[in-house]
Amino acid sequence: MLKVLIAVDGSEHASRAIDAVGKMAKSSAELEATLLCVSQGALLDPLFSGGYTVESMKKLQEEQTRQQDGVLASATEQARARSIKLTEPVRAHGAIANEIVRVAKERQVDQVAMGTRGLGAVAGMVMGSVAQRVVHLSPVPVLLAK
């Protein structure tokens, strides 16, 4: 079975990555995908929290999780419409490229699929430099959709 990790952020380019995997799924009944949404960890890192209170940090974290849930719900709907068999989606926080590669290794996927441009902050998951870093660091092939 081909296992694909699809990095999503709500951008049009991430949507195209889902479409590309959907086309692959049509030609292979043995394809399973995991959706991954990474939020940047700086907001949650105490070194960058400045004068934030514990309560305001908690609210920021809840907002990041809420945004990730929205991105993953939309991506799940799109993937299901393209008949992609899905595993449980993954949320991660931290350096985006590093987290994509970490999850790819952890899940032992055969391929990573992602867009070449993202949106920004939580939604800004796959900017060009992030895509380049994933290609450089990934132990498996990376499908880039633009």
Side-chain angles (χ1 to χ4, degrees):
M1 173 173 297
L2 180 65
K3 295 178 7 180
V4 180
L5 179 67
I6 308 172
V8 295
D9 66 350
S11 70
E12 180 61 32
H13 289 86
S15 179
R16 290 183 190 141
I18 295 170
D19 289 342
V21 173
K23 289 176 184 174
M24 290 169 45
K26 283 183 182 177
S27 64
S28 171
E30 297 295 317
L31 184 144
E32 178 180 82
T34 301
L35 298 171
L36 167 66
C37 183
V38 181
S39 65
Q40 294 194 13
L43 290 177
L44 303 177
D45 189 331
L47 292 175
F48 297 101
S49 63
Y52 290 114
T53 64
V54 172
E55 186 61 31
S56 62
M57 291 295 289
K58 183 178 177 184
K59 285 181 182 180
L60 284 172
Q61 186 172 11
E62 289 170 354
E63 177 61 18
Q64 283 186 334
T65 300
R66 187 188 66 73
Q67 288 180 6
Q68 284 180 307
D69 288 346
V71 167
L72 288 168
S74 178
T76 297
E77 184 178 314
Q78 180 184 356
R80 286 187 176 144
R82 282 145 187 81
S83 302
I84 300 171
K85 181 181 175 184
L86 295 173
T87 65
E88 191 68 27
V90 178
R91 290 162 194 77
H93 303 279
I96 296 169
N98 294 350
E99 286 301 302
I100 293 170
V101 172
R102 180 189 64 78
V103 172
K105 289 176 182 176
E106 182 180 280
R107 296 292 174 113
Q108 298 179 335
V109 300
D110 302 303
Q111 185 173 37
V112 173
M114 60 189 293
T116 56
R117 287 272 187 244
L119 295 173
V122 153
M125 144 108 207
V126 278
M127 291 189 249
S129 61
V130 172
Q132 288 175 1
R133 187 154 171 80
V134 171
V135 168
H136 178 72
L137 295 173
S138 178
V140 297
V142 179
L143 169 68
L144 298 177
K146 66 178 219 172

